[in-house]
Amino acid sequence: MADVLTINLPDGSTRELPAGSTAGDVAAAIGSRLAKAAVIAEVNGVERDLVWPLDDGDTVAIVTDTSSRGLYTIRHSTAHVLAQAVLDLFPGATFAIGPPVENGFYYDFELPDGGTFTPDDLERIEARMREIIAEHQPFIRDEITEDDALELFKDHKYKVEIIKGAAEDPMSATETGLVRTYENPPRFIDLCRGPHVPDTGRLGHFKLMRVAGAYWRGDEKNPMLQRIYGTAWPSKKELAAHLQHLEEAEKRDHRKLAVELDLLSFPEELGGGLAVWHPKGAAVRKLMEDYSRDRHEQGGYQYVYSPHLAKSVLWETSGHLDFYADGMYPPMEMDNGSYYPKPMNCPFHMLIFSSDQRSYRELPMRLFELGTVYRYERSGTLHGLMRIRGFTQDDSHIFCTPDQVVDEVSRALEFVLSVLRAFGFHDFEANLSTRPEEKWVGTDEKWEMATDALRTALEREQLPYEIDEGGGAFYGPKIDVKVRDAIGRKWQLSTIQADFNLPERFGLEYVGPDNQRHEPVVLHRALFGSVERFFGVLLEHFAGAFPAWLAPVQVRVLPVRDDHDTYAHRLVDRLKAEGFRADFVDASEPLGGRIRRAKLEKLPYVLVVGDDDVEHGTVGVNPRGGEVERGVTCDDFIHRLSVDVMAHL
């Protein structure tokens, strides 16, 4: 064995280290700052612990805590500390899986006798975790036989199930056929693929957030486990920033705001995932839908309607009963067959196209519908308007010839971004998902043509995008448009999707200029995604303070005393005649209380009228977030309001 190892670095340079050096030694040789930030390493392209021994000629890249992969490792390692703490504090408890997730990690546990964690328990667990971190326990990797693993984890039934292969755990897979474990001696060992930080002392900037129920393997037929969620970051500053961000997000939670602003509710009598819209929420929804209808008509779309259910033969033709049955509600048996509530609008639009012989002169044909669909979502996945069982999609299907695809995709993307800007979003990015490696339909030529069209549209709009290789559906590539909201969160909203499946299944054809029959290209385009979810995103984006054009009540008029009522009513009538949404609250309560209530309702404008206003035809303007003005003429205020309302166009 050579006394010196030559190690290759990512920049093409080399380092010479003594024989027996580890990946961590490479970081130390480069510099103390890198060694301090190092979390794991890539050795010859494979992620390894920093204690991994090196061979001569290895290529080593250091992964630091500032990278997404380094942060993933910190959260993964912190999840192990959480599991150790719980098993220490709760004798008889067992554990299942605990992966990193976006912004944090979780671990699933089962307590003896069906017990549940309390908020006080989380504090105790956090304290124990900090003790474990202070002990600088090493993470020691090992690979053992299945028999040894079964003996080691015999008291933990979920681990035994994983070892036997009855459940998949991506954290325990190995390349050798053995079972990989990581141990924090002397008390804790877990199934895990790794890699991990060198020792628990590398951790510490974390907080346990909440407890939730979670079915083992996500199956309602399996036991309900206790899931503890936590967050972990490389530094105290980043943890504090995240917690502050969560506080702001909680204030903006659409479920909370919907109740406070009397917009909608989820009555238990309806069942999970179903909402009723109150007058104020319905007013905002109507404005959203009316704007969408107007823009689609201006954009060359034709409005269509389809029923809420259809016979099973339609869903057999479309393939939904083969591929999507788990997401559909069960059938209603009638005298002439089985009827299913529709999970999608697409098949109906295929029927509209195929209802007549089509000519190339009719293409592109752009169909648009605000169609309500019904999908069975597991109760544990429901989340206000963001994950719901009955919702309305703004579905468009564009039927075009192959040589029209590039222009139609570009046109659709331009349309999507224009409408999203009107609703107050200006920070966009996208994913371009390409053909999956295994199961797909269509031809190489079709996939190449459609993918190039989507890419061209993104580049025409100068929209930043990432390519999701192999991430497309089996029936075609797609663009997913994401927006960033007022506090920096990303929301995936709009989709443009090529489809090579439904045209073939429904036998769609048009007659080309050569008098021959051709199959059209179909583009799915959802702009809002769903009206309900888009409403929820808007509500959180604006923190309930809708812009003037969307606000359910734009102006509230408050008389100072009862003898100002007549003037106040005339003002409300004039505002309504001008097309504005205005209301009136009489002087039966003190003025200050009425103003405060209007502010809590987040109204764009509050007008106060008193003696001087009655005499001179003026108003006092109290704008949301602005300075109070006195003696503003009614004409001036109405002009100002008109400008504000039209600002979104």
Side-chain angles (χ1 to χ4, degrees), residues 422-454:
F423 281 94
F425 297 109
H426 301 281
D427 190 350
F428 307 108
E429 59 184 68
N431 278 354
L432 171 58
S433 299
T434 62
R435 188 177 71 190
E437 292 186 8
E438 297 181 359
K439 183 180 179 182
W440 51 276
V441 298
T443 63
D444 289 338
E445 293 76 16
K446 286 182 177 180
W447 276 89
E448 184 177 351
M449 174 270 296
T451 303
D452 286 346
L454 297 177

Side-chain angles (χ1 to χ4, degrees), residues 64-92:
T64 67
D65 56 16
T66 59
S67 68
S68 60
R69 195 61 188 83
L71 187 52
Y72 179 96
T73 303
I74 287 172
R75 290 168 177 163
H76 183 186
S77 299
T78 307
H80 278 234
V81 174
L82 166 61
Q84 181 182 162
V86 169
L87 296 186
D88 283 352
L89 294 173
F90 297 86

Side-chain angles (χ1 to χ4, degrees), residues 40-55:
I40 57 173
E42 287 186 2
V43 180
N44 302 325
V46 179
E47 291 182 351
R48 300 296 189 186
D49 304 302
L50 290 177
V51 295
W52 188 263
L54 299 178
D55 292 324

Side-chain angles (χ1 to χ4, degrees), residues 487-500:
I487 59 172
R489 296 173 299 181
K490 292 181 184 178
W491 300 92
Q492 194 276 305
L493 293 178
S494 308
T495 299
I496 301 172
Q497 169 93 56
D499 189 339
F500 310 130

Side-chain angles (χ1 to χ4, degrees), residues 121-360:
D121 289 333
L122 291 189
E123 292 183 12
R124 292 174 56 218
I125 295 166
E126 270 198 14
R128 177 64 189 125
M129 291 174 68
R130 298 199 184 282
E131 292 174 353
I132 293 168
I133 288 169
E135 292 170 5
H136 290 261
Q137 297 178 6
F139 284 85
I140 299 176
R141 177 184 185 274
D142 197 6
E143 291 184 359
I144 60 179
T145 66
E146 181 176 318
D147 287 343
D148 287 344
L150 290 172
E151 175 63 24
L152 184 63
F153 291 97
K154 63 183 179 181
D155 295 328
H156 299 285
K157 59 185 177 181
Y158 300 109
K159 299 296 182 182
V160 168
E161 189 173 335
I162 292 169
I163 294 165
K164 290 182 176 180
E168 293 182 2
D169 178 12
M171 294 300 162
S172 61
T174 74
E175 301 86 1
T176 62
L178 297 174
V179 177
R180 185 174 301 165
T181 63
Y182 271 82
E183 182 178 7
N184 298 104
R187 289 180 297 275
F188 180 74
I189 190 167
D190 198 359
L191 301 175
C192 188
R193 184 180 59 197
H196 281 283
V197 298
D199 65 63
T200 59
R202 185 64 179 77
L203 310 172
H205 306 295
F206 74 93
K207 183 172 180 57
L208 300 184
M209 306 302 298
R210 60 189 175 92
V211 180
Y215 291 107
W216 169 233
R217 297 169 62 190
D219 190 334
E220 296 175 4
K221 298 177 183 178
N222 287 334
M224 172 72 79
L225 305 179
Q226 295 289 297
R227 176 170 294 177
I228 297 180
Y229 285 96
T231 188
W233 297 84
S235 69
K236 182 178 180 180
K237 180 179 179 181
E238 288 168 284
L239 173 62
H242 177 69
L243 295 178
Q244 184 177 4
H245 178 86
L246 290 180
E247 286 182 18
E248 180 61 31
E250 185 176 357
K251 294 176 188 175
R252 294 169 178 261
D253 189 316
H254 72 281
R255 297 165 298 179
K256 173 174 171 283
L257 290 171
V259 173
E260 292 175 355
L261 301 177
D262 192 24
L263 302 174
L264 54 89
S265 60
F266 294 85
E268 291 184 6
E269 294 87 343
L270 292 184
L274 299 169
V276 289
W277 294 72
H278 301 192
K280 289 180 181 178
V284 179
R285 176 171 177 159
K286 181 178 183 297
L287 289 163
M288 293 167 54
E289 293 181 349
D290 287 348
Y291 181 79
S292 178
R293 289 187 184 96
D294 290 344
R295 289 296 306 271
H296 279 87
E297 288 177 8
Q298 296 165 15
Y301 290 79
Q302 301 176 76
Y303 208 82
V304 299
Y305 293 91
S306 61
H308 289 249
L309 73 168
K311 290 175 65 174
S312 59
V313 65
L314 178 67
W315 310 112
E316 291 165 0
T317 302
S318 67
H320 283 88
L321 284 179
D322 291 331
F323 301 108
Y324 200 73
D326 289 345
M328 297 173 66
Y329 276 94
M332 295 171 279
E333 301 299 334
M334 306 298 287
D335 54 1
N336 62 344
S338 300
Y339 287 76
Y340 288 85
K342 64 176 177 180
M344 296 182 185
N345 299 303
C346 320
F348 298 93
H349 295 194
M350 303 303 117
L351 294 179
I352 292 170
F353 183 89
S354 65
S355 65
D356 198 358
Q357 179 173 294
R358 304 296 180 182
S359 165
Y360 72 95

Side-chain angles (χ1 to χ4, degrees), residues 1-6 17-21 53-57:
M1 177 183 291
D3 293 333
V4 176
L5 305 178
T6 300
L17 281 82
S21 293
L54 299 178
D55 292 324
D56 187 49

